[in-house]
Amino acid sequence: MSTEHTNTLYEAVGGADALRRLSETFYKGVLADPLLAPVFADFTATHVEHVAVWLAEVFSGPADFTAELGGHQALLRAHLGLEITEEQRLRWMELMSSAVERELPDDALLRRRVLEYFDWGTRIAKDVSASAPGSDLGEPGPTPRWGWDGLA
């Protein structure tokens, strides 16, 4: 049975609390993973909160990442010089898929749309990560919004 999705992805996932739980579950796995832990050598507890705030904005919740944390440019710059490999990106997706299954509502379309965003976003992160810290990224535009039909 198909249900009509008229709410935002932010509302459908369960808001800020659900995104925080998703981020916490995901990063517990990342930090214990031998392939990914080195990418997060500078990880701090605030990273979990910042990711939840970013996701809230991307999924059409409060725009606090742009207002308080530097917006799209800051997120991209944080990936400079990480030299993320495709193997690491795919492992990141495996761990996120597991976290999505554990923490988000049991709604196949919702989970698929969220994972499509992560696939799209990790490809960009991987590309940006190949550039040296301090590289000029140009103006990336506003924080992207992702909805039931993908990139808005």
Side-chain angles (χ1 to χ4, degrees):
M1 180 174 118
S2 159
T3 57
E4 190 66 31
H5 291 93
T6 56
N7 54 356
T8 65
L9 289 182
Y10 175 76
E11 293 163 336
V13 299
D17 289 342
L19 292 172
R20 199 170 292 109
R21 284 192 312 274
L22 177 67
S23 188
E24 287 170 354
T25 296
F26 171 70
Y27 283 105
K28 281 180 191 168
V30 164
L31 295 175
D33 188 88
L35 183 61
L36 292 179
V39 177
F40 293 89
D42 297 329
F43 181 87
T44 65
T46 60
H47 189 83
V48 168
E49 182 64 21
H50 289 178
V51 168
V53 171
W54 168 261
L55 293 175
E57 186 166 339
V58 167
F59 295 148
S60 297
D64 294 342
F65 198 94
T66 294
E68 300 168 13
L69 298 171
H72 196 191
Q73 180 77 249
L75 181 88
L76 292 173
R77 294 189 73 69
H79 292 86
L80 287 171
L82 292 178
E83 299 178 2
I84 298 166
T85 66
E86 181 64 6
E87 183 184 19
Q88 289 169 326
R89 189 189 78 78
L90 291 173
R91 181 66 181 140
W92 194 103
M93 286 298 300
E94 288 174 18
L95 293 177
M96 182 54 80
S97 181
S98 176
V100 163
E101 274 187 40
R102 216 166 312 141
E103 299 298 343
L104 296 189
D106 186 11
D107 176 326
L109 180 60
L110 171 65
R111 289 176 176 183
R112 185 166 58 249
R113 291 298 178 253
V114 167
L115 289 171
E116 287 168 354
Y117 163 73
F118 287 125
D119 184 60
W120 178 80
T122 58
R123 290 174 191 279
I124 293 169
K126 179 179 172 270
D127 288 347
V128 169
S129 78
S131 297
S135 294
D136 181 1
L137 297 171
E139 175 48 54
T143 297
R145 296 294 191 279
W146 200 267
W148 293 107
D149 296 320
L151 185 62

